[in-house]
Amino acid sequence: MGILAATALLSGCLAPEMAVEQTVRSTAKGVINSVISQKLPGVNAEPYVECIVDQASTDELVTLARAAVTGVDNSTVSIVTSIASQPETISCIAQNGLGVMLG
């Protein structure tokens, strides 16, 4: 099998996984946005959502995405809060939040 054929084969295999990952991330973002909006009404949640999603593990993202179907509960809020309190997330939020404030 040539390199091009192998690459095409692998690309075909990876595309569905990438689509699933994008769907999970997108769905988790909606849940995180909901949690932030409930806890911090009136705050632009977008920069915080991105930082939290970027720092979340795959398992955490799947759990958060599942909450879009099962409903947000205390466990969901706890996961978002836990990720948001990690040093890397705090740093990201500080950088992105400041950017939003400064335009």
Side-chain angles (χ1 to χ4, degrees):
M1 180 182 308
I3 291 178
L4 290 176
T7 302
L9 180 63
L10 287 175
S11 295
C13 292
L14 294 178
E17 286 180 21
M18 291 174 70
V20 169
E21 180 181 344
Q22 288 175 348
T23 300
V24 168
R25 287 177 66 89
S26 177
T27 305
K29 284 180 182 181
V31 171
I32 295 165
N33 191 12
S34 173
V35 170
I36 292 172
S37 295
Q38 288 176 359
K39 295 297 178 184
L40 303 169
V43 170
N44 176 12
E46 187 175 335
Y48 309 112
V49 171
E50 291 298 325
C51 291
I52 292 168
V53 167
D54 288 345
Q55 295 304 318
S57 70
T58 301
D59 288 343
E60 289 169 328
L61 289 173
V62 169
T63 301
L64 291 171
R66 190 176 302 129
V69 176
T70 62
V72 173
D73 59 15
N74 290 337
S75 174
T76 310
V77 174
S78 178
I79 291 169
V80 172
T81 304
S82 174
I83 298 166
S85 65
Q86 296 172 2
E88 296 86 4
T89 311
I90 293 170
S91 176
C92 177
I93 289 170
Q95 290 174 357
N96 289 331
L98 184 58
V100 168
M101 287 172 43
L102 296 177

